[in-house]
Amino acid sequence: MKKFFDDIKKDIKFKSAGPGKKLTEDTSAKPEVVQGRSSGKHDRHAPSEGAQRAGAAALARIEQHQKPKVHTSQDAIRTQVKRELEAEAAALAEKEKAAAAEGSKVPVKDPTLLSVSGVYFICPLTGATLTKSEREVHIKEAILMRFEEDEVEASVMMMHTFNKDREKVKAAVDIISKYVENICKNPTEEKYRKIKLSNKVFQEKVKSVEGSREFLQALGFTSVMLPIEGQEEEEEFLVLPEQSPDALELMKERRDRLQRGEPVRAQLDRQPQAFRPSPNAQRFELPPEFYNLTAEELKREQQQRSELVEKNAMLRTKAMREKEEQRERRKYNYTLLRVRLPDGNLLQGTFYAWDRMPVLFSFMRESLVDGWQPFELIAPGGQKLQESEDIALAECSLVPAALLTFAWDAAVQADIAAAGGKSPTLLKPELLENIRSLS
């Protein structure tokens, strides 16, 4: 098993990435990962009993030269890795080619002048910091590597993450759950412990969902070639040995894990950064990742907007202006927010344009030493933002960037002062240790 996964790693990093490229992280172009958010690596264990059985069965089939070759779970994983990563590499190459062509027409901003170097994501399985183009391939690789530690967990992740059609996944989960239910109700009935792979329902509803076969094998099913009455050639079945009562309870628990499964998604790295007081706090230079538009489209939009703004200012009704503002907000994927603190320092973070207001307030609390104390955030124009409002940042016109003002709750601070207490400390030490000056 170890050799098999070592081979996968080689295929992923060298063959699938394409000529002259490696699917490895270029840490020189990315912000430093905060160690506290890294989940760390899990201790590796020896292959489970189920994995050993699958390996033994695979070796036995290889020795049967006179029979047609049966693809094992390992074969499926290897093939899947190659197909997925080759497709990802090809798609990425096309995007890079298009971006290069576009870049020749539109002036490129000096990276040193950007307010943030880019948009990054954190893999919840490895803690690695990734670009948008890297995240999907990296997560798939991380899931496949988990087969060494927990094949049930890995196959559940595989089913829910590798397949985009959620309805299709649900149908496969329901059918597999039915398999388990029938086995548990009729543990001595052999017919419920045999799945004919050529069965139409299995072919259309289960086999087509990546990770489904891996999950069945994690339950204890093994591939067996069996004779069919009235048919010369044998056919492949997945067969489960008769299970003990304890094993049946374990199967139910694993079925429940499958039913509760969720896709593994990279989390947006908010890149919290403290800045010293600066007259440039309201100046923002954003990288292209913040926009839904291409660089050429963005340039054209900006030109048209500047030409028409004065001409139309007196002619538009309030409803027309609001409708146009909504269209503008939909052009942005992310937003960069800065918050001016009472001591003049600034706190900056990256958000999805459609993050809700509680997400912003939670970010602030996590950055403050005394985040438990009530505070206010004031938007440009003096609007007080309400933590309790389930409203998106884009709907508050806080895209693609904005400078907010922070203030402690005045009544609470007055009570603290009257009791002889001190003003609360602001940013956490780890943020102040890396404080920078705005250029």
Side-chain angles (χ1 to χ4, degrees):
M1 288 291 289
K2 185 176 186 303
K3 181 179 184 303
F4 163 72
F5 283 104
D6 288 340
D7 290 342
I8 286 182
K9 293 175 183 176
K10 292 178 182 177
D11 285 339
I12 291 171
K13 293 183 178 178
F14 300 104
K15 184 172 181 180
S16 303
K21 293 186 179 180
K22 297 182 181 179
L23 291 177
T24 53
E25 186 179 357
D26 181 6
T27 55
S28 63
K30 302 169 191 166
E32 197 170 300
V33 182
V34 179
Q35 188 174 359
R37 275 177 277 154
S38 172
S39 60
K41 295 184 179 179
H42 297 272
D43 295 333
R44 293 189 175 183
H45 305 286
S48 68
E49 183 180 345
Q52 292 178 28
R53 287 202 306 271
L59 291 175
R61 287 196 301 276
I62 291 172
E63 293 171 357
Q64 296 174 351
H65 299 290
Q66 71 276 16
K67 295 184 179 181
K69 181 180 177 182
V70 177
H71 291 287
T72 65
S73 175
Q74 291 88 344
D75 290 328
I77 294 175
R78 183 186 295 277
T79 301
Q80 173 61 27
V81 172
K82 290 180 180 178
R83 184 171 64 250
E84 290 286 341
L85 296 183
E86 285 170 0
E88 291 288 344
L92 182 57
E94 284 298 318
K95 287 182 181 179
E96 289 175 349
K97 184 178 178 181
E102 228 170 58
S104 62
K105 302 176 185 176
V106 182
V108 179
K109 293 180 180 178
D110 183 350
T112 60
L113 300 178
L114 293 175
S115 300
V116 64
S117 61
V119 177
Y120 299 97
F121 301 84
I122 298 173
C123 174
L125 302 180
T126 66
T129 300
L130 311 163
T131 63
K132 186 175 181 179
S133 61
E134 294 171 332
R135 58 183 177 176
E136 190 169 342
V137 174
H138 179 93
I139 285 176
K140 287 182 177 180
E141 179 184 359
I143 290 173
L144 292 170
M145 293 304 104
R146 286 224 165 189
F147 275 91
E148 293 182 88
E149 303 168 11
D150 186 340
E151 55 190 342
V152 175
E153 178 187 45
S155 56
V156 169
M157 289 180 179
M158 191 174 177
M159 285 186 66
H160 286 280
T161 308
F162 284 28
N163 304 281
K164 303 301 182 185
D165 189 335
R166 300 303 300 157
E167 290 300 318
K168 196 174 179 180
V169 172
K170 183 181 183 303
V173 170
D174 289 344
I175 292 172
I176 293 174
S177 297
K178 190 65 177 178
Y179 291 158
V180 174
E181 181 183 340
N182 288 337
I183 291 168
C184 292
K185 285 183 178 179
N186 309 277
T188 59
E189 291 276 354
E190 185 180 5
K191 67 178 181 179
Y192 293 116
R193 292 184 277 108
K194 290 168 57 176
I195 303 172
K196 186 178 180 181
L197 267 59
S198 61
N199 176 272
K200 184 178 179 181
V201 173
F202 182 85
Q203 287 284 328
E204 294 178 356
K205 302 291 187 181
V206 180
K207 182 182 177 182
S208 59
V209 174
E210 296 180 62
S212 58
R213 177 162 175 159
E214 284 74 19
F215 181 76
L216 288 169
Q217 292 186 319
L219 291 181
F221 283 88
T222 56
S223 176
V224 178
M225 299 298 292
L226 297 176
I228 303 295
E229 186 177 351
Q231 187 174 310
E232 290 186 6
E233 293 186 355
E234 295 180 339
E235 285 201 34
E236 185 183 8
F237 284 75
L238 289 178
V239 179
L240 181 72
E242 189 169 335
Q243 303 290 294
S244 68
D246 288 344
L248 292 174
E249 288 301 315
L250 183 59
M251 280 187 67
K252 291 179 183 178
E253 186 272 332
R254 290 174 170 176
R255 175 205 59 195
D256 293 344
R257 288 170 66 181
L258 176 65
Q259 293 174 343
R260 293 192 305 266
E262 293 289 340
V264 179
R265 297 285 182 254
Q267 301 158 356
L268 179 64
D269 184 357
R270 303 205 181 279
Q271 304 177 71
Q273 177 62 54
F275 292 100
R276 299 180 182 88
S278 170
N280 299 320
Q282 297 188 65
R283 294 183 59 183
F284 295 92
E285 288 290 341
L286 303 176
E289 296 98 311
F290 272 71
Y291 303 94
N292 276 321
L293 301 176
T294 64
E296 182 63 30
E297 289 171 336
L298 181 62
K299 181 182 178 183
R300 187 164 57 248
E301 285 281 342
Q302 289 172 339
Q303 289 175 343
Q304 292 174 348
R305 186 161 57 251
S306 61
E307 291 170 0
L308 296 175
V309 64
E310 291 186 7
K311 183 187 297 183
N312 294 336
M314 302 302 295
L315 301 177
R316 293 178 301 165
T317 65
K318 181 180 179 182
M320 291 170 64
R321 288 195 298 271
E322 290 177 350
K323 188 174 182 179
E324 182 177 327
E325 287 171 359
Q326 289 176 357
R327 285 199 301 269
E328 286 292 313
R329 290 195 291 266
R330 282 195 287 268
K331 295 174 184 175
Y332 308 109
N333 294 317
Y334 310 98
T335 184
L336 188 67
L337 299 182
R338 287 180 188 150
V339 180
R340 180 181 277 124
L341 301 168
D343 60 2
N345 285 336
L346 303 163
L347 176 63
Q348 176 177 285
T350 302
F351 299 83
Y352 287 109
W354 294 100
D355 271 339
R356 318 305 283 183
M357 199 57 64
V359 173
L360 171 59
F361 276 79
S362 177
F363 169 78
M364 289 302 304
R365 293 190 192 286
E366 291 171 2
S367 303
L368 298 169
V369 173
D370 295 319
W372 57 272
Q373 293 198 29
F375 61 85
E376 297 176 343
L377 291 177
I378 303 169
Q383 174 194 1
K384 286 187 179 181
L385 303 177
Q386 302 296 326
E387 182 175 9
S388 59
E389 289 187 0
D390 187 28
I391 186 171
L393 301 177
E395 295 174 306
C396 295
S397 300
L398 299 179
V399 293
L403 174 64
L404 309 177
T405 301
F406 175 99
W408 292 112
D409 183 275
V412 173
Q413 293 307 305
D415 290 342
I416 292 175
K422 297 181 179 179
S423 298
T425 308
L426 292 168
L427 294 178
K428 289 182 176 179
E430 55 265 33
L431 286 168
L432 292 175
E433 286 173 5
N434 297 303
I435 195 168
R436 292 162 47 189
S437 297
L438 279 172
S439 57

